[in-house]
């Protein structure tokens, strides 16, 4: 099951992706978290930044520079080996892959084609893949999220947050991405009126409202101290609701199987 967390910038995607990884990996030891934001911060949110040695982008660069000297060596095998030994970070209960920055100048088609095959193979080792996406919509038009089963769009109470959610729904139809479901999650919602607005918005736009998360001052506190969000107390309203989201996906995957 591939779950991609998307939405406008700064709405709380990374925190939600980190906590879904945290909760789901308590129930399954086959969880892969993917940081697909070039401005990577999922490892920090999970508190495992020191374990990340290389990004997928860095391995692609090394490959691009040295492929001419590889001669008859099996290049796919080389990439596969590098990814497993250097880019997949084995954390407590889950693995983590950081995509890194996009490619430099030159033609990366060959590298990217090989990478696609290796990643497809790699993904089969996991029951749950949780992707923290880059803000906005560009990755949708590039179809990098094509393989996701479920999309979570995180929005705050801003007009722009809701507009991005609407556009994601429209784009996925235009591009025929065929997600099993596009969910909406409201975050940092502080009053009933805002809650009602989001509920109405979801109904009107054919998005399934998954949860409405409150503002939690402890999140900013941890952020300021550079501590991982996984340290949030499990009895807080925010954490209880995120756990409910995680349980929803676990239940769904049991049903599908
Ligand atoms: N429910 C919440 N209560 C309080 N603060 C929050 C909440 N959710 C997120 N924040 C704060 O909002 C900021 C952005 O959160 P986060 O990094 O998860 O967003 P993002 O959508 O991943 O951002 P970006 O688009 O830059 O990747 C963080 O500083 C975080 O501390
Ligand atoms: Mg983020």
């Amino acid at each position: 099951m591939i779950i991609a967390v998307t939405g406008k910038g700064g709405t709380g995607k990374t925190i939600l992706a980190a906590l879904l990884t945290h909760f789901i990996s308590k129930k399954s030891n086959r969880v892969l978290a993917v940081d697909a934001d070039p401005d990577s911060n999922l490892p920090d949110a999970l508190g495992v930044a020191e374990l990340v040695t290389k990004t997928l982008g860095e391995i692609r660069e090394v490959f691009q520079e040295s492929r001419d000297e590889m001669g008859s060596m099996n290049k796919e095998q080389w990439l596969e080996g590098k990814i497993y030994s250097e880019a997949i970070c084995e954390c407590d209960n889950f693995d983590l892959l950081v995509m890194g920055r996009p490619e430099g100048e030159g033609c990366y088609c060959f590298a990217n084609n090989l990478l696609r095959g290796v990643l497809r193979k790699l993904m089969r080792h996991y029951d749950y893949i949780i992707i923290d996406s880059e803000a906005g919509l560009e990755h949708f038009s590039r179809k990098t999220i094509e393989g996701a089963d479920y999309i979570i769009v995180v929005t705050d109470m801003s007009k722009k947050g809701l507009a991005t959610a609407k556009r994601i729904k429209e784009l996925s139809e235009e591009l025929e991405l065929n997600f099993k479901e596009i969910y909406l999650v409201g975050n940092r919602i502080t009053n009933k009126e805002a809650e009602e607005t989001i509920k109405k918005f979801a109904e009107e736009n054919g998005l399934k409202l998954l949860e409405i998360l409150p503002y939690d001052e402890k999140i900013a506190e941890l952020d300021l101290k550079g501590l991982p969000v996984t340290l949030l107390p499990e009895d807080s309203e925010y954490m209880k609701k995120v756990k409910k989201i995680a349980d929803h996906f676990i239940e769904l995957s049991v049903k599908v199987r």
Side-chain angles (χ1 to χ4, degrees), residues 6-16 37 39 41 45 132-136 154 187-189 213-221 223-224 229 238:
T6 66
K8 182 184 89 78
T11 48
K13 300 180 291 297
T14 300
I15 292 173
L16 182 61
D37 186 351
D39 192 14
N41 46 30
D132 178 25
S133 317
E134 184 179 0
V154 186
N187 183 32
R188 251 194 250 125
I189 306 301
L213 305 171
Y215 177 86
D216 186 330
E217 58 186 17
K218 284 233 162 53
I219 295 179
E221 232 177 270
D223 210 25
L224 208 62
V229 281
Y238 181 89

Side-chain angles (χ1 to χ4, degrees), residues 176-225:
E176 296 180 24
L177 296 176
N178 297 323
F179 301 122
K180 293 194 178 103
E181 192 81 65
I182 302 178
Y183 292 107
L184 188 68
V185 168
N187 183 32
R188 251 194 250 125
I189 306 301
T190 48
N191 61 64
K192 265 269 169 270
E193 194 189 333
E195 208 174 308
E196 289 308 318
T197 307
I198 292 196
K199 274 187 191 155
K200 196 158 154 251
F201 172 85
E203 261 169 44
E204 285 172 358
N205 290 284
L207 294 155
K208 206 164 189 167
L209 185 63
L210 195 51
E211 201 57 74
I212 292 196
L213 305 171
Y215 177 86
D216 186 330
E217 58 186 17
K218 284 233 162 53
I219 295 179
E221 232 177 270
L222 290 171
D223 210 25
L224 208 62
K225 290 184 187 150

Side-chain angles (χ1 to χ4, degrees), residues 50-230:
E50 74 285 357
L51 298 176
V52 176
T53 50
K54 270 212 170 76
T55 69
L56 192 74
E58 283 163 349
I59 289 176
R60 181 175 46 206
E61 283 307 320
V62 177
F63 176 79
Q64 187 79 356
E65 281 158 23
S66 49
R67 57 179 258 212
D68 290 340
E69 294 135 44
M70 286 183 188
S72 61
M73 191 193 291
N74 183 323
K75 299 182 179 60
E76 189 165 348
Q77 243 168 35
W78 182 93
L79 265 176
E80 197 174 345
K82 274 271 186 223
I83 290 172
Y84 279 103
S85 61
E86 295 180 24
I88 293 281
C89 146
E90 289 175 20
C91 307
D92 273 355
N93 300 319
F94 58 88
D95 287 358
L96 172 67
L97 176 66
V98 179
M99 304 298 273
R101 307 217 151 261
E103 59 261 37
E105 281 177 23
C107 178
Y108 282 74
C109 300
F110 182 63
N112 285 337
N113 278 338
L114 285 184
L115 270 179
R116 210 165 293 133
V118 175
L119 289 180
R120 211 172 286 139
K121 220 163 150 193
L122 179 140
M123 279 155 67
R124 286 192 215 119
H125 296 297
Y126 300 95
D127 289 335
Y128 300 92
I129 299 176
I130 298 152
I131 307 175
D132 178 25
S133 317
E134 184 179 0
L137 301 158
E138 208 198 324
H139 48 93
F140 277 91
S141 17
R142 274 193 267 119
K143 288 203 173 187
T144 36
I145 274 190
E146 196 170 12
D149 298 298
Y150 298 98
I151 299 286
I152 298 178
V153 189
V154 186
T155 184
D156 50 18
M157 257 325 290
S158 69
K159 225 179 180 150
K160 193 148 178 259
L162 294 173
T164 301
K166 188 171 174 176
R167 193 68 198 119
I168 286 174
K169 167 86 177 163
E170 288 166 357
L171 261 180
S172 68
E173 278 162 14
E174 278 165 34
L175 300 170
E176 296 180 24
L177 296 176
N178 297 323
F179 301 122
K180 293 194 178 103
E181 192 81 65
I182 302 178
Y183 292 107
L184 188 68
V185 168
N187 183 32
R188 251 194 250 125
I189 306 301
T190 48
N191 61 64
K192 265 269 169 270
E193 194 189 333
E195 208 174 308
E196 289 308 318
T197 307
I198 292 196
K199 274 187 191 155
K200 196 158 154 251
F201 172 85
E203 261 169 44
E204 285 172 358
N205 290 284
L207 294 155
K208 206 164 189 167
L209 185 63
L210 195 51
E211 201 57 74
I212 292 196
L213 305 171
Y215 177 86
D216 186 330
E217 58 186 17
K218 284 233 162 53
I219 295 179
E221 232 177 270
L222 290 171
D223 210 25
L224 208 62
K225 290 184 187 150
L227 293 170
V229 281
T230 46

